[in-house]
């Protein structure tokens, strides 16, 4: 299947492609690589890495250079000052990791070699895999990824491929398959054997980026996609080391052991036994490296990505970015790609009117200044599995006595009252008398964690109305509005393809899943139960003691309570 052609023929793709083509034309206008030679670039993660002439021609292009001003971990630098690394050095790092993986696969595999043509294609995909990232990385895609046209295109990808790529992966796919990008590449980049691969190169690169397998000559080359977008891909190998290093966290995994244990194993395809699949696998005695990799990822979520200060700063930027979109200051997907981190905060000066008049006034300039100066709202409530307990329901003793009498009477009368009916009635009575006291966190957060930005506005309005009533009851003035309140319930963590058969067993033939060795699903469940936190924040315009009481009512809804509310309130600003 010619995936690019199939997608390009759809209205959903054409709508966004027009915007993206405009952006690519703008960035590449007048750019012709000069006298560029191969270079050795020194990197804090991978050491000294050699990049060829064609790689440097692409790396030096304006499309890649813009990534220098797109932070890898959004606004984490407001909490971890050294975490200022960008998508640019990450992209170079992924290329470095992909090269190492190709070299080790060739050294470790029996009867299999990645030829130069396929290796170059993998390296190309590694360099451009993040070329579609917009300002503040994943933060911005939580805005444009919810827009109607983008949701429609993502559903189209899912219908064709049975998978939903991440929003930035889709933009990367579209960029490298634009007419402008390909004309630039094949005219000015000295990629080896361009004429031979021109017809399929960027379909293959796009497939690797979005995680779709490549099929050629009746063989499925899934190993290529797995190196770029798989269970232990070059992307993860780089960002886990790079993010933890810049944040100052002592997280390590045995990268050399992983490299010595990976190989490509050829098997009949699990989806189509008539075809052979070249699959990237890891030897069974190298699974400890995957275990370490996953543990590091869990710690990154705990310490960086879901740190409460990181979450609130990113939530403020969501207000800001969506406000710009509502006022049509950023109006197209080209705009999302056009403005980088340092540029986006300057756009607030163009505000004319309120982006959300049906809710309240949002001052974008004040919001931008608050982010720049790290003037962040404070927590007024934090909930987790460890700090709440359910409120026990009162058992109706009269009801219990009546049910017991009814069971006795039925037994005495006989009739059709058999063992099965008796057993059922006893189970019902038992469940009433032994109600579970464990709070079910999922039930409490279900109405918050999966909401879109627009849906969450209604929840914030609901919280605001409750706060207004509470302040007035205390005789206090209300000098705050809805945008002084933040409801931040991050999504539960998912650690990916734990059931994919990628572990080569002792017999060097049977394939098993990572979950057969390391219970990653249980690890993820443990994190979500013990490390996940949901927050309510307010600015200093709101009385925090009142907000604390109202937030409990708003979130816990009488189903649960804080185990020690007075101690929690005392330490809430720490």
């Amino acid at each position: 299947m010619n995936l690019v052609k199939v997608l390009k023929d759809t209205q959903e793709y054409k709508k966004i492609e027009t915007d993206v083509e405009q952006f690519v034309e703008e960035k590449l206008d007048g750019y012709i690589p000069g006298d560029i030679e191969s270079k050795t670039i020194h990197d804090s993660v991978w050491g000294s890495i050699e990049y060829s002439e064609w790689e440097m021609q692409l790396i030096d292009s304006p499309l890649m250079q813009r990534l220098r001003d797109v932070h890898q971990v959004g606004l984490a630098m407001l909490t971890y000052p050294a975490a200022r690394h960008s998508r640019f050095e990450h992209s170079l790092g992924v290329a470095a990791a992909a090269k190492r993986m190709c070299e080790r696969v060739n050294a470790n595999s029996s009867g299999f070699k990645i030829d130069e043509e396929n290796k170059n294609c993998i390296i190309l995909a590694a360099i451009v895999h993040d070329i579609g990232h917009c300002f503040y990385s994943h933060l911005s895609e939580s805005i444009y990824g919810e827009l109607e046209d983008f949701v429609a295109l993502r559903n189209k990808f899912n219908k064709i491929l049975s998978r939903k790529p991440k929003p930035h992966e889709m933009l990367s796919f579209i960029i490298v398959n634009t007419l402008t990008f390909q004309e630039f590449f094949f005219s000015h980049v000295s990629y080896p054997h361009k004429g031979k691969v021109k017809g399929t190169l960027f379909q293959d690169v796009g497939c690797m980026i979005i995680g779709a397998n490549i099929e050629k000559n009746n063989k499925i080359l899934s190993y290529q996609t797995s190196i770029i977008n798989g269970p232990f891909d070059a992307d993860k190998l780089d960002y886990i080391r790079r993010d933890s290093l810049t944040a100052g966290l002592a997280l390590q995994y045995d990268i050399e052991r992983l490299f010595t244990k990976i190989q490509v194993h050829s098997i009949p395809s699990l989806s189509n036994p008539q075809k052979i699949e070249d699959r990237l696998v890891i030897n069974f005695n190298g699974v400890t490296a995957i275990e370490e990799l996953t543990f590091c990822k869990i710690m990154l979520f705990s310490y960086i990505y879901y740190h409460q200060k990181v979450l609130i700063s990113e939530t403020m930027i969501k207000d800001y970015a969506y406000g710009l979109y509502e006022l049509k200051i950023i109006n197209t997907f080209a705009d999302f790609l056009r403005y980088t981190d340092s540029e986006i905060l300057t756009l607030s000066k163009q505000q004319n009117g309120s982006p959300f008049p049906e809710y309240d006034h949002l001052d974008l300039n004040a919001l931008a200044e608050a982010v720049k100066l790290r003037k962040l709202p404070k927590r007024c409530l934090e909930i987790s599995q460890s700090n709440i307990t359910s409120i026990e329901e009162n058992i109706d003793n009269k009801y219990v006595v009546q049910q017991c009498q009814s069971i006795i009477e039925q037994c005495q009368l006989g009739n059709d009252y058999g063992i099965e009916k008796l057993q059922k009635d006893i189970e019902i009575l038992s469940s009433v008398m032994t109600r579970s006291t464990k709070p079910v966190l999922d039930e409490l957060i279900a109405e918050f964690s999966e909401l879109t930005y627009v849906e969450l506005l209604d929840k914030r309005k609901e919280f605001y109305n409750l706060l207004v009533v509470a302040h007035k009851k205390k005789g206090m003035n209300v000098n705050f509005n809805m945008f002084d309140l933040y409801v931040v319930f991050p999504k539960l963590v998912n650690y990916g393809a734990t059931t994919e058969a990628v572990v080569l067993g002792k017999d060097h033939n049977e394939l098993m899943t990572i979950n057969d060795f390391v219970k990653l699903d249980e690890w993820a469940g443990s994190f979500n139960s013990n490390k996940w936190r949901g927050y309510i924040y307010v600015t200093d315009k709101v009385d925090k003691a009142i907000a604390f009481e109202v937030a409990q009512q708003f979130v816990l809804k009488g189903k649960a309570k804080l185990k020690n509310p007075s101690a929690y309130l005392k330490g809430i600003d720490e």
Side-chain angles (χ1 to χ4, degrees):
M1 176 179 65
N2 188 327
L3 176 62
V4 175
K5 185 179 186 308
V6 171
L7 286 166
K8 279 178 175 281
D9 285 341
T10 67
Q11 290 303 313
E12 294 87 348
Y13 191 94
K14 289 176 180 177
K15 278 185 177 181
I16 297 176
E17 183 188 34
T18 301
D19 276 359
V20 175
E21 187 83 56
Q22 176 190 344
F23 163 74
V24 176
E25 287 176 358
E26 178 184 300
K27 298 304 290 185
L28 292 179
D29 184 32
Y31 173 71
I32 298 175
D35 186 16
I36 298 175
E37 299 179 350
S38 62
K39 288 184 181 179
T40 299
I41 297 178
H42 303 285
D43 182 70
S44 58
V45 172
W46 300 103
S48 298
I49 307 298
E50 184 81 13
Y51 296 90
S52 69
E53 179 184 357
W54 74 261
E55 291 166 14
M56 289 307 307
Q57 289 168 340
L58 186 57
I59 289 167
D60 281 352
S61 72
L63 279 172
M64 288 297 299
Q65 291 296 311
R66 65 175 278 276
L67 296 179
R68 290 182 183 272
D69 195 24
V70 177
H71 286 97
Q72 170 82 3
V73 284
L75 288 165
M77 74 278 196
L78 295 181
T79 302
Y80 297 94
R84 305 184 66 85
H85 55 301
S86 72
R87 288 283 158 183
F88 179 76
E89 55 259 45
H90 166 63
S91 297
L92 299 188
V94 174
K99 292 179 181 184
R100 291 283 303 276
M101 292 179 79
C102 289
E103 291 167 0
R104 294 313 307 172
V105 162
N106 283 349
N108 300 340
S109 302
S110 176
F112 178 88
K113 296 291 180 185
I114 302 177
D115 62 28
E116 202 65 23
E117 180 181 317
N118 285 331
K119 180 181 177 182
N120 285 332
C121 186
I122 292 168
I123 295 169
L124 174 57
I127 292 172
V128 301
H129 83 287
D130 270 354
I131 205 168
H133 259 300
C134 304
F135 57 87
Y136 296 123
S137 294
H138 295 292
L139 194 158
S140 58
E141 71 181 339
S142 67
I143 301 296
Y144 70 77
E146 294 178 356
L147 301 180
E148 183 179 351
D149 287 345
F150 211 92
V151 171
L153 179 58
R154 200 175 187 203
N155 290 336
K156 183 62 68 174
F157 269 89
N158 187 39
K159 184 177 180 179
I160 296 170
L161 298 172
S162 297
R163 62 178 293 119
K164 284 189 175 183
K166 296 173 183 175
H168 76 273
E169 293 173 351
M170 291 165 57
L171 285 182
S172 296
F173 179 98
I174 297 170
I175 286 172
V176 300
N177 281 289
T178 57
L179 180 62
T180 302
F181 179 83
Q182 294 193 13
E183 285 180 346
F184 154 75
F185 185 86
F186 290 113
S187 298
H188 302 297
V189 176
S190 56
Y191 187 81
H193 312 295
K194 287 188 291 187
K196 179 183 176 183
V197 300
K198 188 172 183 178
T200 61
L201 179 62
F202 283 104
Q203 170 165 296
D204 294 347
V205 167
C207 283
M208 283 185 262
I209 291 172
I210 63 175
N213 286 335
I214 298 165
E215 187 173 329
K216 289 182 178 179
N217 302 322
N218 214 36
K219 288 188 74 173
I220 299 173
L221 309 181
S222 66
Y223 77 91
Q224 293 185 244
T225 298
S226 293
I227 289 175
I228 302 300
N229 192 338
F232 44 93
D233 55 45
D235 183 38
K236 293 182 184 67
L237 297 186
D238 183 80
Y239 81 70
I240 288 176
R241 295 186 82 184
R242 194 174 301 277
D243 292 1
S244 59
L245 176 67
T246 59
L249 303 176
L251 301 180
Q252 296 290 332
Y253 64 90
D254 193 345
I255 183 67
E256 294 304 324
R257 183 170 183 81
L258 186 145
F259 282 149
T260 60
K261 299 301 178 182
I262 59 171
Q263 63 186 85
V264 168
H265 185 63
S266 299
I267 58 170
S269 171
L270 300 179
S271 59
N272 185 350
Q274 303 303 315
K275 297 181 180 180
I276 296 298
E277 178 181 355
D278 292 334
R279 175 172 288 220
L280 183 69
V281 299
I282 187 165
N283 197 284
F284 74 95
N285 54 12
V287 173
T288 53
I290 304 296
E291 185 176 14
E292 293 169 350
L293 192 70
T294 305
F295 177 77
C296 289
K297 187 174 180 180
I298 290 173
M299 291 300 99
L300 286 175
F301 269 95
S302 181
Y303 290 117
I304 302 179
Y305 311 144
Y306 281 6
H307 187 286
Q308 59 103 358
K309 292 294 185 185
V310 174
L311 288 174
I312 183 55
S313 59
E314 293 190 343
T315 304
M316 293 168 72
I317 287 293
K318 283 185 182 180
D319 273 357
Y320 179 83
Y322 219 105
L324 293 176
Y325 177 77
E326 286 293 304
L327 292 172
K328 300 189 183 305
I329 297 171
I330 52 176
N331 191 38
T332 66
F333 293 104
D335 289 336
F336 277 98
L337 287 161
R338 181 177 294 118
Y339 298 110
T340 56
D341 292 11
S342 62
E343 296 167 332
I344 197 71
L345 290 179
T346 67
L347 299 182
S348 59
K349 296 180 176 60
Q350 300 179 31
Q351 181 173 3
N352 181 17
S354 179
F356 308 104
E358 69 274 33
Y359 290 102
D360 254 323
H361 179 70
L362 176 62
D363 187 335
L364 297 183
N365 196 54
L367 194 54
E369 287 301 309
V371 172
K372 290 176 187 177
L373 299 175
R374 200 181 180 274
K375 187 178 180 182
L376 307 178
K378 300 294 177 61
R379 289 172 295 168
C380 73
L381 181 71
E382 173 186 315
I383 72 161
S384 66
Q385 189 69 63
S386 61
N387 75 349
I388 60 173
T389 184
S390 67
I391 297 174
E392 295 184 31
E393 297 181 50
N394 294 324
I395 298 174
D396 188 338
N397 291 326
K398 184 177 180 181
Y399 170 80
V400 172
V401 171
Q402 288 175 343
Q403 289 301 107
C404 287
Q405 289 175 342
S406 175
I407 292 172
I408 293 171
E409 289 173 0
Q410 293 291 338
C411 289
Q412 290 174 337
L413 292 173
N415 299 331
D416 296 327
Y417 195 74
I419 295 296
E420 291 184 4
K421 185 67 169 67
L422 173 62
Q423 184 176 358
K424 183 177 181 180
D425 284 349
I426 290 176
E427 287 175 355
I428 293 173
L429 182 61
S430 177
S431 69
V432 172
M433 298 180 67
T434 58
R435 296 180 192 270
S436 171
T437 59
K438 182 180 179 180
V440 182
L441 188 62
D442 288 356
E443 292 182 8
L444 295 175
I445 67 173
E447 65 175 299
F448 298 107
S449 61
E450 297 297 327
L451 295 180
T452 65
Y453 178 85
V454 175
E455 291 169 340
L456 193 56
L457 287 177
D458 289 329
K459 289 295 180 183
R460 291 167 75 178
K461 187 68 173 181
E462 180 184 338
F463 181 43
Y464 168 76
N465 290 336
L466 292 172
L467 268 180
V468 168
V469 171
H471 275 72
K472 289 181 176 179
K473 279 185 178 178
K474 300 269 188 182
M476 301 178 67
N477 293 327
V478 176
N479 63 348
F480 57 88
N481 72 23
M482 191 186 89
F483 294 103
D484 288 301
L485 325 170
Y486 297 86
V487 181
V488 185
F489 282 59
K491 293 182 179 181
L492 298 177
V493 177
N494 180 354
Y495 291 108
T498 58
T499 58
E500 187 175 340
V502 292
V503 182
L504 191 61
K506 290 183 179 181
D507 62 358
H508 301 289
N509 187 40
E510 180 187 5
L511 286 180
M512 294 169 282
T513 70
I514 295 173
N515 234 19
D516 291 329
F517 294 83
V518 186
K519 300 303 181 185
L520 298 187
D521 288 339
E522 294 180 9
W523 284 25
S526 177
F527 175 90
N528 289 327
S529 292
N530 300 304
K531 293 290 187 179
W532 184 94
R533 300 287 186 273
Y535 304 97
I536 304 288
Y537 300 83
V538 295
T539 68
D540 55 12
K541 295 180 181 179
V542 182
D543 184 279
K544 196 170 301 133
I546 295 177
F548 174 63
E549 295 299 327
V550 175
Q552 290 180 78
Q553 172 191 344
F554 176 64
V555 175
L556 303 180
K557 300 185 184 305
K559 297 178 180 179
K561 61 183 179 181
L562 292 172
K563 290 181 178 178
N564 192 344
S566 59
Y568 176 75
L569 184 60
K570 182 179 179 181
I572 209 164
D573 289 328
E574 296 176 0

